[in-house]
Amino acid sequence: MTMAIHSGTVFGSPRTTTGQATDASAGDDRVRTRLRLTRRGRLVFGTLGVLVVLAFALLLPLAASPAVAGDEAAEPLQVITVEHGQSLWSIAESIAPQADPREVIADILSLNGLTSAELVPGQQLALPAGR
């Protein structure tokens, strides 16, 4: 490294008084960037990479596996159209006369996503056919 003296002052720059670089890379056509990754930056980028890999590894089995409701086989559904004068109680008694109508009504409400027991003529209801 050469030191340039200008007007009695010593500058610690590796440049001569004309402003040209004096080191060996002066003739090199590579572009130098001023971006330097610090230790903290490497730590942040490394941590982000690990988090992305972990998230992918944890979510991949969830997306790839088929939905399993339980050990029981899914019951086939029967769809009916509600007629004038029908109620959930009468429908429950007709499809499962031996079962408790309250349990059958709860199943019908759950299957159809209903919040109330009010029915409208022409409304279609999915019923568990296995009862």
Side-chain angles (χ1 to χ4, degrees):
M1 180 164 110
T2 61
M3 303 284 253
I5 301 176
H6 186 324
S7 303
T9 308
V10 177
F11 298 97
S13 164
R15 299 183 182 273
T16 62
T17 55
T18 61
Q20 298 294 323
T22 57
D23 57 324
S25 65
D28 200 3
D29 290 333
R30 288 184 294 167
V31 176
R32 289 186 169 202
T33 61
R34 293 182 182 216
L35 178 66
R36 289 190 180 182
L37 197 55
T38 63
R39 183 175 179 201
R40 183 187 301 170
R42 287 190 300 271
L43 182 65
V44 168
F45 280 116
T47 303
L48 286 175
V50 169
L51 288 176
V52 167
V53 169
L54 282 176
F56 185 72
L58 291 175
L59 295 177
L60 183 64
L62 295 177
S65 66
V68 178
D71 294 338
E72 301 175 4
E75 296 179 5
L77 297 178
Q78 175 185 359
V79 178
I80 65 160
T81 302
V82 176
E83 296 176 6
H84 183 70
Q86 278 187 318
S87 66
L88 282 178
W89 191 274
S90 65
I91 294 171
E93 286 181 332
S94 68
I95 65 169
Q98 72 284 358
D100 184 9
R102 292 172 293 202
E103 291 178 7
V104 179
I105 290 171
D107 289 343
I108 295 171
L109 289 172
S110 175
L111 273 174
N112 293 287
L114 300 175
T115 56
S116 71
E118 292 184 28
L119 299 179
V120 178
Q123 179 179 1
Q124 292 195 338
L125 292 177
L127 306 174
R131 289 213 177 243

